[in-house]
Amino acid sequence: MDKTRSRKTTSLTRRQALATALGGAALAAGGLGAQAQVASPAIRKKVKLTFWNWADNPVHQKISVDSVAMFNASQNFIEMEVDANMAVMEARKKLVVSYAAGAAPDVVMTIQYWVQDYFENGLLEPIEDRFNKWDEKADFFPNIMEQTRSRAGQPFLFVPQTSIPYFLFYRADWFKAAGLTPPDTYDQFIAAAKALTKAPDRYGFAMRGQTASAIQVIFPIWASAGVKFATPDGKVDFDSPAAIEVTDKWLGMALRDKSAQPTAVNDGYRELYALMEKGRCAMWYYGPHASPALISALGDAIQGVQNPRVGEKHHMIANPEGPMMVSSCKEKEAAWEFMKFITSGDAAMLFTANRMVPPVRKTLSQRPVFQNNRFIKMSLDHLDTWWTPPYDHQHWTNFQDKIPPYWQEAVRGNITAAQFNQQGAKFLRGEA
Amino acid sequence: MTTDIADTGTPAAIRTKRRKRLDLLPYALIAPIGLLLAAITVYPTIQAIYLSMTDASLLRLARAKFVGLLNFTRMMGDQVFLDGLWRTLRWDFAVVSLELCIALPIALFLNMNFRGRGFVRAAMMVPYITPPAVVGLLFLFMFDGNFGVVNDLLVRFGVLDRGIAWMSDPVASFWIVVSAMVWYGTPLMALILLAALQTIPAELYEAAEVDGASRWSQFRSITIPHILPSILFLVLLRMIWMSNHIDMIFVMTAGGPGFTNHTEAIYSFSLTNQFQIGYASAIAVVLAGILMVFSALYVRHLARTVLAQTS
């Protein structure tokens, strides 16, 4: 790649110049000041492929559009078309429907927890062979690459571009005023939430009630209590006393301590973000992508710490994201060229620095933009605690898709912690 | 000549004549719309009925297995489905009855002569031309438990000590979604009722005035009988639309909190999002069946009683 780049810079074509200008402009906006890389397609015929990505917001959408423009301008053979006009939960549905209709795109962005289903149902083309031939493969964090297998013994299923860790945002100023230190254990966290509550103006914890993401942030705490959820031999322990105890304490913040906001049942990301930004809650579980806006609103008062633990070890849930190749793609080499491009160099920086999420490549993670963000730095410093639940379990999707209404029932006190965990265990066992 | 007369009486000649009389032009003219209807209505209906008898998942559509009536028997033990029947009925009645109660006075008012009537009639349609998802979000923001304007006003005026978590409460969230839907849907109902009001001959009211009938008597004996078919037809249509309605409920509550706003349409939609299109289709088929039976009975009753009386 380096060789190609140096050769090309001596005689820039108009397309390459445009790529450099476009990439430079985009990165300058992100304060990076780097230059665009140039792809070297292995194929020598004109092909047209499609790429789909979801858009969390207009900036995210622009990243997809700009990165595709950078790629198209970088070479003469592969033309990518982009559709980045869908919400994250729509992306999975849209892919599955389009695949069933025989009109799937060639490359799509995916999240770790979708890939096992895709792989088992033939939607996904594994990339292990191609990845192993790539001269930049050693630059990827090995533990993240292992996660992309989804299940031990399987090939790499996609190329990770980022992995978004979820940790605890906390109001350092309020903790200091109350004479508290950031929570290390789960019990300290529960106690801190209670101590910092001054209802109705301030609550200790911004609790989420809506959608599957509501319990995603509890996964690492269950895991730190020794809960395995489901093991490959089919054993499910989500209804174990340890799991129920974690749930009960969590729900206790809403139902007993009243340290979570009263609107928790129906609150999602948008509401929780507003609560934190407006200084109505002291703690919140979320990822580093919320940090620029929170820093802008709260300055040094907002800090981050890794998830509290029940047992000895911390767990930080971090879901890798990146492009995957759809099995119906007719031009796989061309698709691979694009996948390499957007997970490398300046294109990868667009997807990570501009969203403020950590990269999963060693060289990129050392760049100042990441090292200077205290939340990303803290996450990267605890890379060994990054973890994902057993997404590869045969009934995990069943569990994840069906559990949200039961969580809302639990947060409003309509079912107990034990009933919630028993229902979850039923889903994990495939009994419901 | 004789031969001709004799020939016309033979069966072969009759067949020839009949063939000649068969005019294909009307069939040719309706063929495009017939084909279009078949493509967009008949085929999807047949496909939905077929899917309802399979274990189809969008993830493995090619491997879908025929399971007969299993999905339908499963429904009988599915509490979310069974409760959903009541929730759908509750939603339908709440929205349609409120819309009607508000739309009728509006239509009567807009049927009067006053300055600026044209502007008011046009302005009335603003809610209906706003996308339902936007209306849903507006109501959601207004009733936000932490920063919503409703809580803010109630606290400012001393009605409440502290804000209420409206959308976390099953009863409150239901009525807020109903309010949003009523705000959105009432203009259409008012417009149709206004059109019906304008078909009533003015002479009837003039004669009633001469006879000394009061306003209320005129309304009861002239207005209502004349617009009753329109009202009943509107109620039927609106009930069908509301039974199938998804966007406003989903945007505002996603069917929650818990299952409290899970109508059958929302449940079927959620199952589709989980790729369980076999079971989701079965629920849709049952819902369609219930609506068809209800509509048939309703229309029959309408034809026998109300329409017969008014004609």
Side-chain angles (χ1 to χ4, degrees):
Chain A
M1 180 62 103
D2 288 338
K3 209 181 265 183
T4 313
R5 199 176 296 175
S6 60
R7 190 172 64 240
K8 300 245 176 188
T9 45
T10 55
S11 57
L12 270 179
T13 65
R14 202 162 49 179
R15 281 188 160 210
Q16 288 154 355
L18 179 61
T20 310
L22 219 150
L27 295 171
L32 304 170
Q35 288 189 336
Q37 84 268 30
V38 176
S40 60
I43 60 161
R44 288 287 180 267
K45 61 175 181 177
K46 283 197 182 291
V47 292
K48 201 175 202 177
L49 305 178
T50 48
F51 167 58
W52 286 1
N53 191 10
W54 65 88
D56 292 334
N57 49 53
V59 172
H60 192 190
Q61 190 179 40
K62 189 174 182 302
I63 289 169
S64 300
V65 173
D66 288 351
S67 62
V68 167
M70 281 168 69
F71 177 76
N72 286 342
S74 71
Q75 42 70 55
N76 296 313
F77 297 101
I78 309 163
E79 186 186 343
M80 293 301 298
E81 282 186 342
V82 61
D83 179 355
N85 196 22
M86 61 195 91
V88 61
M89 296 315 289
E90 293 301 308
R92 172 178 168 233
K93 194 165 57 179
K94 200 170 164 180
L95 171 65
V96 171
V97 171
S98 67
Y99 187 83
D106 301 286
V107 179
V108 290
M109 199 65 81
T110 189
I111 305 178
Q112 177 80 31
Y113 46 75
W114 294 335
V115 294
Q116 188 65 31
D117 256 4
Y118 291 160
F119 181 57
E120 285 179 2
N121 290 287
L123 269 80
L124 180 152
E125 177 77 18
I127 50 104
E128 173 115 23
D129 292 343
R130 290 182 175 87
F131 185 82
N132 285 336
K133 289 175 194 159
W134 190 9
D135 56 3
E136 295 184 25
K137 65 178 180 182
D139 194 35
F140 286 80
F141 291 137
N143 58 338
I144 305 294
M145 281 315 299
E146 283 306 308
Q147 279 183 291
T148 70
R149 293 186 191 281
S150 180
R151 182 180 293 168
Q154 288 184 169
F156 296 141
L157 301 183
F158 64 103
V159 187
Q161 199 174 45
T162 179
S163 186
I164 304 181
Y166 282 70
F167 50 82
L168 188 69
F169 282 102
Y170 70 96
R171 284 293 298 262
D173 50 342
W174 294 352
F175 268 79
K176 193 177 173 187
L180 296 168
T181 52
D184 182 54
T185 68
Y186 188 45
D187 285 337
Q188 287 171 1
F189 162 70
I190 301 284
K194 197 175 175 181
L196 293 169
T197 297
K198 288 178 183 170
D201 301 321
R202 192 170 95 182
Y203 292 91
F205 180 58
M207 186 184 285
R208 185 164 179 165
Q210 252 202 22
T211 76
S213 308
I215 60 164
Q216 186 173 275
V217 292
I218 323 175
F219 288 154
I221 299 173
W222 276 313
S224 76
V227 178
K228 303 280 182 223
F229 301 91
T231 53
D233 61 0
K235 197 180 161 206
V236 170
D237 64 355
F238 192 62
D239 49 358
S240 65
I244 293 170
E245 192 183 344
V246 169
T247 313
D248 186 61
K249 285 182 179 174
W250 189 280
L251 291 174
M253 290 190 285
L255 301 172
R256 288 188 300 271
D257 300 346
K258 308 287 182 194
S259 54
Q261 80 284 11
T263 53
V265 176
N266 207 51
D267 281 349
Y269 163 77
R270 188 178 53 211
E271 290 80 12
L272 300 188
Y273 173 76
L275 284 166
M276 287 302 291
E277 193 192 26
K278 304 286 179 201
R280 297 283 292 273
C281 284
M283 293 184 282
W284 180 35
Y285 276 111
Y286 208 67
H289 41 312
S291 67
L294 285 178
I295 291 171
S296 159
L298 304 169
D300 287 341
I302 191 78
Q303 297 290 336
V305 66
Q306 57 179 330
N307 298 325
R309 59 185 168 79
V310 176
E312 289 300 307
K313 196 173 178 297
H314 289 280
H315 287 65
M316 198 184 294
I317 191 167
N319 295 315
E321 291 179 12
M324 69 168 228
M325 195 185 298
V326 181
S327 59
S328 56
C329 171
K330 300 259 188 314
E331 298 289 347
K332 293 190 168 61
E333 289 312 317
W336 176 241
E337 282 300 315
F338 176 69
M339 289 167 73
K340 283 196 296 182
F341 185 90
I342 60 168
T343 50
S344 304
D346 298 336
M349 288 298 284
L350 274 182
F351 280 96
T352 50
N354 283 20
R355 290 174 72 201
M356 202 42 79
V357 292
V360 292
R361 296 185 61 151
K362 295 167 192 169
T363 48
L364 297 182
S365 68
Q366 292 307 313
R367 295 203 182 180
V369 66
F370 302 115
Q371 292 297 320
N372 292 340
N373 178 295
R374 56 182 177 270
F375 301 96
I376 289 187
K377 186 171 186 322
M378 183 272 295
S379 309
L380 290 170
D381 287 346
H382 295 103
L383 195 62
D384 59 322
T385 69
W386 289 22
W387 162 93
T388 51
Y391 292 137
D392 63 309
H393 182 69
Q394 61 170 327
H395 297 303
W396 186 269
T397 309
N398 187 49
F399 167 74
Q400 188 156 293
D401 283 347
K402 291 181 180 172
I403 202 69
Y406 292 92
W407 179 247
Q408 284 193 312
E409 296 287 8
V411 177
R412 57 185 272 245
N414 217 29
I415 59 171
T416 63
Q419 286 171 320
F420 170 78
N421 282 65
Q422 283 154 9
Q423 186 63 48
K426 273 188 196 173
F427 291 141
L428 283 168
R429 291 191 185 104
E431 294 168 355
Chain B
M1 188 63 137
T2 316
T3 314
D4 284 345
I5 293 166
D7 283 348
T8 54
T10 62
I14 291 167
R15 277 200 299 273
T16 311
K17 260 194 161 179
R18 279 185 184 159
R19 270 202 297 273
K20 276 182 184 168
R21 260 191 243 124
L22 187 66
D23 188 357
L24 290 175
L25 183 64
Y27 298 100
L29 290 174
I30 62 163
I33 192 67
L35 285 172
L36 188 68
L37 272 176
I40 65 172
T41 307
V42 180
Y43 171 73
T45 306
I46 293 168
Q47 184 69 9
I49 293 168
Y50 165 72
L51 281 172
S52 72
M53 289 187 276
T54 68
D55 67 349
S57 159
L58 272 174
L59 276 165
R60 43 175 196 283
L61 206 51
R63 284 178 275 153
K65 280 190 296 211
F66 184 78
V67 294
L69 299 175
L70 194 68
N71 285 329
F72 297 94
T73 53
R74 180 181 159 193
M75 261 181 241
M76 296 306 109
D78 183 345
Q79 205 55 44
V80 180
F81 170 78
L82 295 174
D83 291 345
L85 289 171
W86 152 244
R87 290 185 194 117
T88 307
L89 205 60
R90 180 184 67 166
W91 162 254
D92 288 355
F93 272 104
V95 172
V96 178
S97 56
L98 276 173
E99 280 185 359
L100 189 62
C101 289
I102 298 169
L104 188 56
I106 292 175
L108 289 168
F109 171 68
L110 292 177
N111 199 36
M112 292 161 66
N113 276 320
F114 61 90
R115 212 176 149 84
R117 188 175 66 166
F119 172 76
V120 176
R121 281 181 181 179
M124 182 196 68
M125 291 307 290
V126 168
Y128 196 70
I129 59 172
T130 312
V134 174
V135 175
L137 283 175
L138 283 173
F139 272 74
L140 205 54
F141 292 146
M142 285 196 308
F143 284 92
D144 185 281
N146 297 299
F147 307 107
V149 68
V150 174
N151 268 346
D152 187 55
L153 289 174
L154 290 174
V155 171
R156 274 175 200 266
F157 289 114
V159 180
L160 297 174
D161 291 338
R162 60 172 70 177
I164 291 175
W166 300 100
M167 299 309 290
S168 300
D169 182 78
V171 177
S173 64
F174 170 74
W175 285 109
I176 291 166
V177 183
V178 167
S179 308
M181 193 66 227
V182 168
W183 188 82
Y184 169 76
T186 300
L188 179 72
M189 202 176 255
L191 194 73
I192 296 172
L193 290 176
L194 176 63
L197 285 171
Q198 289 179 338
T199 63
I200 304 174
E203 296 81 14
L204 289 177
Y205 291 106
E206 288 163 12
E209 290 269 340
V210 171
D211 289 346
S214 66
R215 286 277 181 189
W216 171 244
S217 295
Q218 289 178 28
F219 175 71
R220 204 161 41 96
S221 306
I222 301 172
T223 311
I224 288 291
H226 272 87
I227 63 169
L228 195 56
S230 300
I231 290 176
L232 294 173
F233 182 66
L234 262 177
V235 167
L236 174 67
L237 270 187
R238 210 68 190 132
M239 290 284 262
I240 293 172
W241 290 346
M242 286 304 98
S243 300
N244 292 321
H245 187 80
I246 290 172
D247 33 6
M248 193 91 77
I249 306 174
F250 196 79
V251 164
M252 295 181 73
T253 67
F259 291 101
T260 52
N261 283 303
H262 258 67
T263 58
E264 297 301 10
I266 289 284
Y267 188 35
S268 179
F269 180 68
S270 303
L271 289 166
T272 309
N273 282 343
Q274 294 163 22
F275 304 146
Q276 298 182 52
I277 54 168
Y279 191 44
S281 298
I283 290 173
V285 165
V286 168
L287 181 62
I290 292 171
L291 288 172
M292 279 170 71
V293 170
F294 167 75
S295 305
L297 291 173
Y298 188 86
V299 170
R300 196 171 151 210
H301 175 73
L302 201 67
R304 280 188 180 173
T305 57
V306 184
L307 291 179
Q309 281 169 22
T310 50
S311 63

